[in-house]
């Protein structure tokens, strides 16, 4: 069930809220949490009921392992480490089988010239997200950082439907206490939740979907081998850059909004990434919960930056390569991850160099704009690899962007007028992403344990959400237009990961 | 009332007010003839949207007309088959064919029409591109939620939910606004109340190549377009690839089989024909290597219908008429280059005129329309298990003869195919 569907917005979500809050009002202590688990499982089963045969046992096994490997009274658990290794192996093997087995076999066949056959394996939706959450909780349980061991709470931490299939990737430390000491919900929280959900839906339906066609037409043309003129390629790349941000951040906003309707705060996942003035900054703003996971459970355990600059660069590259592969079993994602790894290495090297020579671009507006432009350009080029059907397609698009394909030789995929329209729409959306306050700045929302966003900019201060009639009409109008634009349902891009 | 409660109330009221206003406007303007609101001259009488959204309009038309007999097929049947032919039984009759209809879509519309009112007769027009053992699926404009799958309450409930969605949608609002703005440039309505597309109105509109340039120029341009459609397909914009391991989709032939089974189970008089496209279509098919697959599919279809007949002894077999061969109709010469002459039987290489449609129905029903007269003797062959091989051999022989007598025309087609598709093995 997609968030941007009538089934979800007009049936499942309202019914789930009525059931959850109805049970809560009856003062039935744990029943609302149990109901939320069942609702979440039903939500998951909507896609493919058989997937429950994977999800439910994984929850049970991971919970039991986490409980057993947690230190007791300061002493390490018996067989803690082997059980931790067993759990992580099980989780990674599950992910590897469902997500990477076909990719591995295809790659082997291509390299070895063999024809090893493996049945096509269906990827259970959301597996990349919930497996990461399970691994994190295992590691933290072993470290003694997990405090609550309640199966119901744990099950809801993994399955809570607003975040189950495409994040944000939540951490047990921020979710289990909210379930364990559930405090209910106020009208003010519900009002904020409705607002954020409406913003997310509008981002997805009115913004991302409006630019999606421009990107798809050009990338599909490139995939079919049609030559692109530079203007085609730029229009496609910029349109996709806008589409992906509004699609995924819209999805995350809808997840946060839905969470608030239950009185649960989910972590913020985007903080205006296209305002970033360096790649390091970009990764603090883009898919923040993934960055947090990769940092805490991959980069830091690899040694992080503690073993010198060379090792740091190797760790960064490795982390981003695996981060790329996490997004999809394909060489385009590996290339995308590698590019970002190299960008990060270059960024760290530049920082060290600039520091030694006392250069600080952030002190002057032109310097900041230059830093922003370089960062944005790098991000756009990398998105081409992320979006393209395969590496040759990505190569063709990037070559066209670089002007290596002349206008004369290119059978432009679109008419000139359409390119102008695509560029204008993409530019308008990207300007919005670059200049306007983001959702949490507008709404004054903070995730669990997060500091409330500052509203320093006059625009953000002026627009800051309050339960006023003006905001209510704007929210209602946005919600109505978005709802009435749902007649052509399209999937959220991040579902494929 | 606390501020947050007041906020939620205003938000909810705004949503309801806007959705209600849009739905009310759409219901009154009725751009898709969904509500059958009165058509007022100068306000909403001219409805361009029904021409652009034929799948949607026909889904609603079926509910209003509640036909007892329908035509299923593509634009060829949509244009060429009249529902006034004397051979029909079952009333009212409705031409439920539409552009590019796939067998899966036809099956869905068949179920829809039968759920609205039990059908007595169905004429199914198949194009040669339908005869494939590959999935053809559905087109982007196809919306299964607008169709009944059966007459159950659940199916009707789903339909009413879809009605609400269409009524309160921005897409429909856009169509309503366009309708209101389109009253001053009304064009002749080419979608008849019985669902037929009226070729005389459609092709003679200003801006149509048939009208503005010449029938000959349009015929040639259509040939080029037909060849272009044979380019290897690239994924539809935004289309997600089929999930790895997802169940295989039924083939087009299997979808045709489902239509046959449904009609048989419901006691519907089904008559099938392969459409009489101009032989340029067959020649393009020959140049692109489609013939072996087509011939095999004809054999398989005949076998499928024979097996169906064997399972239902004592009941009439479902007839399959093949009009795709080389007949005096389908080999009609193109008008001379530079002339503005019209062809007698064709709008273009794909779409036959109503006079040909009348002869098709005469063969299918065994009754000739008085005005159209009897079809030419070489037009159409009733395919059976006994004659299918002979018919295929006859088509091959007729094709050879055609290529000799019209070598110049065939050479032009070969050049066109090479030009559009590039060198082929």
């Amino acid at each position: 069930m997609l968030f941007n569907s009538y089934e979800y917005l007009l049936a499942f979500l309202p019914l789930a809220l009525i059931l959850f809050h109805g049970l809560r009002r009856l003062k039935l202590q744990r029943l609302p949490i149990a109901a939320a688990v069942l609702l979440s499982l039903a939500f998951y089963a909507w896609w493919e009921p058989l997937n429950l045969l994977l999800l439910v046992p994984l929850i049970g096994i991971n919970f039991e392992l986490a409980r057993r490997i947690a230190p007791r009274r300061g002493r390490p658990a018996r067989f803690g480490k082997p059980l931790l290794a067993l759990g992580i192996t099980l989780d990674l093997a599950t992910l590897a089988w469902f997500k990477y087995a076909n990719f591995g076999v295809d790659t082997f066949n291509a390299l070895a010239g063999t024809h090893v056959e493996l049945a096509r394996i269906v990827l259970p939706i959301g597996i990349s997200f919930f497996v990461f959450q399970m691994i994190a909780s295992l590691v933290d349980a072993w470290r003694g950082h997990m405090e609550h061991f309640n199966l119901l709470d744990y099950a809801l931490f993994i399955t809570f439907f607003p975040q189950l299939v495409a994040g944000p990737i939540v951490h047990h430390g921020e979710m289990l206490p909210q379930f364990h000491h559930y405090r209910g919900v106020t009208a003010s929280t519900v009002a904020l939740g409705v607002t954020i959900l409406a913003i997310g839906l509008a981002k997805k339906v009115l913004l991302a979907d409006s630019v999606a066609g421009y990107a798809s037409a050009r990338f599909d043309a490139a995939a079919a081998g049609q030559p692109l003129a530079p203007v085609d390629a730029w229009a496609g790349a910029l349109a996709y850059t806008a589409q992906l941000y509004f699609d995924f951040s819209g999805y995350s906003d809808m997840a946060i909004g839905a969470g608030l309707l239950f009185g649960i705060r989910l972590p913020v996942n985007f903080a205006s990434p296209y305002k970033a003035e360096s790649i390091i900054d970009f990764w603090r703003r883009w898919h923040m919960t993934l960055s947090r996971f990769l940092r805490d459970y991959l980069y830091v355990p690899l040694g992080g930056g503690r073993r010198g600059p060379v090792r740091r660069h190797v760790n960064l590259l490795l982390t981003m390569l695996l981060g790329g592969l996490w997004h999809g079993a394909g060489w385009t994602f590996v290339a995308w991850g590698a590019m970002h790894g190299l960008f990060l290495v270059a960024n760290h090297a530049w920082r060290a160099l600039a520091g030694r020579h006392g250069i600080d671009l952030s002190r002057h507006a032109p310097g900041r704009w230059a830093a922003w432009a370089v960062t944005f350009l790098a991000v756009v080029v990398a998105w081409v690899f992320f979006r393209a059907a395969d590496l040759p397609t990505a190569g063709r698009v990037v070559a066209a962007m670089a002007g290596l394909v002349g206008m004369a030789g290119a059978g432009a995929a679109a008419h000139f007028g359409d390119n102008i329209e695509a560029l204008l729409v993409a530019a308008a959306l990207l300007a919005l992403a670059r200049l306007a306050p983001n959702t949490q700045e507008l709404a004054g929302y903070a995730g669990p344990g997060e500091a409330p966003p500052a509203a320093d900019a006059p625009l953000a201060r002026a627009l800051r959400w309050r339960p006023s009639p003006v905001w209510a009409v704007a929210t209602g109008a946005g919600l109505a237009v978005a709802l009435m634009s749902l007649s052509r349902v399209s999937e959220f891009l991040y579902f494929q990961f | 009332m606390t501020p947050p409660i007041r906020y939620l109330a205003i938000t909810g009221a705004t949503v309801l007010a806007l959705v209600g206003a849009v739905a009310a406007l759409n219901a009154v303007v009725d751009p898709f003839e969904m509500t059958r609101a009165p058509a007022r001259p100068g306000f909403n009488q001219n409805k361009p949207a029904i021409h652009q959204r034929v799948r949607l309009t026909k889904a609603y038309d079926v509910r209003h007309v509640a036909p007892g007999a329908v035509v299923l097929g593509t634009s060829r049947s949509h244009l060429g088959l009249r529902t006034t032919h004397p051979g029909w039984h079952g009333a009212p009759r409705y031409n439920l064919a539409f552009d590019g209809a796939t067998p899966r879509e036809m099956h869905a519309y068949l179920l829809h029409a039968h759920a609205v009112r039990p059908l007595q007769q169905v004429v199914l027009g198949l194009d040669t591109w339908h005869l494939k053992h590959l999935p053809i699926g559905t087109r982007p404009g196809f919306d299964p939620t607008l169709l009944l799958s059966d007459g159950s309450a659940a199916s009707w409930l789903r339909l009413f939910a879809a009605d609400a969605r269409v009524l309160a949608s921005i897409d429909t609002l856009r169509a309503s606004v366009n309708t209101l703005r389109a009253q001053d440039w009304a064009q002749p309505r080419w979608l008849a109340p019985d669902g037929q597309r009226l070729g005389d109105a459609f092709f003679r509109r200003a801006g149509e190549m048939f009208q503005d340039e010449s029938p000959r120029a349009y015929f040639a341009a259509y040939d080029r377009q037909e060849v272009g459609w044979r380019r290897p397909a690239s994924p539809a914009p935004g289309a997600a690839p089929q999930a790895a391991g997802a169940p295989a989709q039924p083939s087009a032939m299997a979808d045709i089989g489902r239509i046959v089974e449904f009609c048989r189970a419901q006691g519907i008089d089904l008559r099938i024909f392969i459409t009489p496209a101009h032989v340029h279509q067959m020649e393009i098919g020959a140049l692109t290597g489609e013939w072996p697959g087509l011939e095999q599919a004809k054999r398989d279809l005949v076998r499928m219908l024979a097996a169906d007949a064997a399972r239902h002894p004592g009941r009439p077999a479902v007839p399959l008429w093949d009009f795709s061969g080389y007949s005096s109709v389908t080999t009609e010469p193109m008008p001379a280059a530079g002339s503005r002459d019209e062809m007698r039987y064709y709008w273009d290489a794909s779409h036959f005129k109503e006079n040909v449609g009348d002869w098709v129905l005469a063969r299918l029903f065994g009754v000739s329309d008085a005005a159209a007269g009897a079809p030419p003797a070489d037009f159409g062959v009733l395919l059976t298990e006994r004659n299918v091989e002979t018919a295929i051999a006859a088509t091959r022989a007729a094709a050879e003869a055609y290529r000799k007598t019209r070598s110049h025309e065939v050479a032009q087609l070969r050049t066109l195919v090479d030009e559009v598709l590039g060198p082929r093995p």
Side-chain angles (χ1 to χ4, degrees), chain A residues 6 120 122 195 216 220 465 475 484, chain B residues 7 165 168-170 237-238 244-245:
Chain A
Y6 291 112
R120 290 283 129 187
V122 184
T195 308
S216 299
D220 290 343
W465 178 81
T475 302
M484 290 189 289
Chain B
Y7 178 88
R165 176 171 57 78
S169 86
I170 295 291

Side-chain angles (χ1 to χ4, degrees), chain A residues 11 18 96 330:
Chain A
I18 290 168

Side-chain angles (χ1 to χ4, degrees), chain A residues 126-475:
Chain A
I127 189 170
S128 312
F129 292 87
F130 62 70
V131 162
F132 268 25
Q133 291 176 195
M134 290 169 176
I135 290 173
S137 52
L138 277 180
V139 171
D140 286 349
W142 179 71
R143 286 173 177 166
H145 297 164
M146 197 163 156
E147 291 169 11
H148 304 283
F149 289 95
N150 177 286
L151 180 59
L152 212 51
D153 292 339
Y154 181 83
L156 189 55
F157 150 62
I158 298 295
T159 64
F160 187 43
F161 70 83
Q163 46 95 117
L164 172 61
V165 292
I169 300 171
V170 292
H171 191 267
H172 59 85
E174 62 198 4
M175 300 307 290
L176 291 179
Q178 292 193 71
F179 300 142
H180 201 70
H181 307 291
Y182 184 71
R183 292 193 186 129
V185 65
T186 62
S188 183
T189 306
V190 171
L192 183 63
V194 167
T195 308
I196 293 179
L197 191 142
I199 291 173
L201 184 65
K203 274 182 174 178
K204 162 67 182 165
V205 178
L206 305 181
L207 303 183
D209 288 354
S210 72
V211 79
Y214 300 120
S216 299
R218 287 155 182 81
F219 277 94
D220 290 343
Q226 293 176 33
L228 297 182
V231 66
D232 288 324
W234 275 103
L238 290 173
Y240 184 66
T241 301
Q243 182 199 354
L244 186 59
Y245 169 66
F246 285 108
D247 189 283
F248 193 21
S249 74
Y251 171 86
S252 298
D253 289 348
M254 289 187 77
I256 288 169
L260 284 174
L261 298 181
F262 288 88
I264 299 298
R265 282 187 178 257
L266 296 176
V268 167
N269 217 14
F270 287 87
S272 302
Y274 295 155
K275 292 178 184 172
E277 292 173 4
S278 69
I279 289 291
I280 295 170
D281 189 24
F282 175 79
W283 279 105
R284 287 180 185 141
R285 295 165 174 267
W286 180 272
H287 205 173
M288 295 151 73
T289 56
L290 175 67
S291 302
R292 178 178 68 175
F293 179 91
L294 291 176
R295 181 196 64 205
D296 293 347
Y297 298 97
L298 191 55
Y299 176 68
V300 171
L302 283 170
R306 298 189 303 275
R307 298 181 190 169
V310 174
R311 186 63 193 269
R312 164 196 272 184
H313 294 163
V314 170
N315 291 341
L316 273 174
L317 270 173
L318 205 54
T319 303
M320 295 313 291
L321 267 176
L322 291 171
L325 200 56
W326 174 86
H327 282 85
W331 289 108
T332 50
F333 294 112
V334 175
W336 173 78
M339 288 172 80
H340 270 281
L342 290 171
F343 294 159
L344 282 170
V345 167
N347 198 169
H348 279 285
W350 163 253
R351 276 194 176 180
L353 188 70
R356 275 202 297 276
H357 293 85
I359 302 168
D360 184 3
L361 288 179
S362 66
R363 277 188 302 196
H364 308 290
R368 289 219 308 278
W369 275 100
W372 171 82
V374 169
T375 304
F376 184 70
L377 184 67
V379 168
V380 171
V381 172
W383 283 145
V384 170
F385 287 80
F386 195 83
R387 170 62 178 82
D390 48 42
L391 288 177
T393 302
R396 277 194 292 276
V397 176
V398 171
M401 288 167 75
L404 299 178
V405 180
M407 283 291 286
H415 296 296
F416 183 71
D418 189 40
N419 271 327
I420 296 297
E421 188 181 301
L423 286 169
L424 284 176
V425 173
L429 294 191
L430 291 170
L432 195 66
R434 172 68 182 82
L435 301 171
N438 58 41
T439 303
Q440 55 273 23
E441 285 167 345
L442 275 177
Y445 176 79
E450 294 169 1
D456 299 335
L459 185 63
R461 257 202 316 277
L463 294 176
R464 177 58 73 91
W465 178 81
R466 55 191 72 85
S468 65
V470 173
W471 256 101
V473 170
T475 302

Side-chain angles (χ1 to χ4, degrees), chain B residues 51-52 75 79 99 187-190 197-219 221-222 225 340 342 347-348 351:
Chain B
H51 297 148
Q52 294 144 11
S75 54
L79 268 160
D99 295 358
Q187 292 204 1
R189 181 172 170 142
W190 50 258
R197 188 199 295 188
L198 304 174
D200 273 324
F202 180 80
F203 287 103
R204 298 187 206 291
R205 292 174 303 162
E208 279 294 318
M209 195 176 189
F210 184 91
Q211 178 71 16
D212 289 359
E213 291 190 32
S214 69
R216 160 72 192 231
Y218 174 63
F219 195 98
Y222 203 91
Q225 186 170 307
R340 287 197 62 88
E342 265 190 42
W347 299 108
D348 53 53
H351 300 107

Side-chain angles (χ1 to χ4, degrees), chain B residues 93-413:
Chain B
R93 298 147 200 163
Y94 185 76
N95 187 322
L96 192 45
F98 46 78
D99 295 358
T102 67
R104 194 164 310 160
E105 291 175 335
M106 293 180 207
H107 177 253
Y109 276 82
L110 169 66
L111 266 56
H112 177 59
H114 192 72
V116 170
R117 176 193 176 132
L119 292 165
Q120 288 175 264
Q121 191 172 55
V122 170
V123 166
L124 170 61
L126 297 174
D127 297 351
T128 48
W129 61 269
H130 289 138
L131 303 178
K132 284 193 172 77
H133 287 285
L134 297 168
I136 296 185
T138 60
R139 306 262 181 202
F142 175 74
D143 184 351
T145 64
L146 295 170
L147 305 173
L148 289 165
S149 52
D150 52 46
S152 66
S155 191
W156 276 102
L157 268 178
R158 274 197 301 273
L159 195 68
F160 291 143
D163 287 349
R165 176 171 57 78
V166 172
L167 203 56
S169 86
I170 295 291
D171 262 4
T172 310
L173 179 64
R174 259 189 221 116
S176 290
V177 172
N178 285 342
T179 301
L180 295 173
R181 291 161 66 183
Q183 298 307 306
D184 291 339
W185 40 274
Q187 292 204 1
R189 181 172 170 142
W190 50 258
L191 187 59
D194 72 350
Q196 190 192 346
R197 188 199 295 188
L198 304 174
D200 273 324
F202 180 80
F203 287 103
R204 298 187 206 291
R205 292 174 303 162
E208 279 294 318
M209 195 176 189
F210 184 91
Q211 178 71 16
D212 289 359
E213 291 190 32
S214 69
R216 160 72 192 231
Y218 174 63
F219 195 98
Y222 203 91
D223 273 348
R224 178 172 287 274
Q225 186 170 307
E226 278 285 341
V227 178
W229 283 333
R230 284 162 168 85
R231 275 199 199 101
S234 61
Q242 191 180 330
Q249 294 288 311
S251 69
M253 289 289 280
D255 289 329
I256 295 168
R258 291 199 300 163
I259 293 174
V260 173
E261 278 170 26
F262 182 81
C263 288
R264 183 63 85 184
Q266 302 298 324
I268 300 168
D269 173 8
L270 171 67
R271 296 167 192 232
I272 307 177
F273 72 101
I274 301 172
T275 49
H278 190 273
V279 289
H280 273 204
Q281 295 269 321
M282 290 293 279
E283 286 301 304
I284 291 168
L287 290 164
T288 51
E290 292 168 8
W291 274 39
L294 175 62
E295 289 173 350
Q296 188 54 43
K298 281 185 187 175
R299 291 185 190 103
D300 295 340
L301 188 53
V302 164
R303 204 172 300 133
M304 178 203 294
L305 295 176
D308 168 76
R311 281 196 301 274
H312 301 92
R315 292 168 67 184
V318 174
L320 170 63
W321 281 88
D322 183 5
F323 298 100
S324 66
Y326 291 67
S327 66
S328 52
V329 173
T330 58
T331 57
E332 183 185 8
M334 285 198 294
S339 84
R340 287 197 62 88
D341 293 345
E342 265 190 42
M343 291 172 78
R344 185 176 167 202
Y345 299 131
Y346 288 95
W347 299 108
D348 53 53
S350 178
H351 300 107
F352 52 88
K353 292 186 174 178
E354 286 167 325
N355 52 355
V356 177
D358 286 340
W359 285 338
V360 167
L361 293 176
R363 288 272 187 249
L364 260 62
F365 296 143
V367 178
S368 292
D369 178 81
D378 66 347
F379 183 59
V381 55
L382 179 63
L383 293 181
T384 64
E385 269 192 312
R386 275 195 302 191
N387 74 355
V388 65
E389 292 303 334
T390 319
I392 286 172
T395 301
R396 284 187 200 162
E400 285 306 318
Y402 177 83
R403 285 164 201 158
K404 281 186 187 131
T405 54
R406 305 280 182 83
S407 55
H408 181 62
E409 217 165 304
V410 175
Q412 281 180 334
L413 284 176

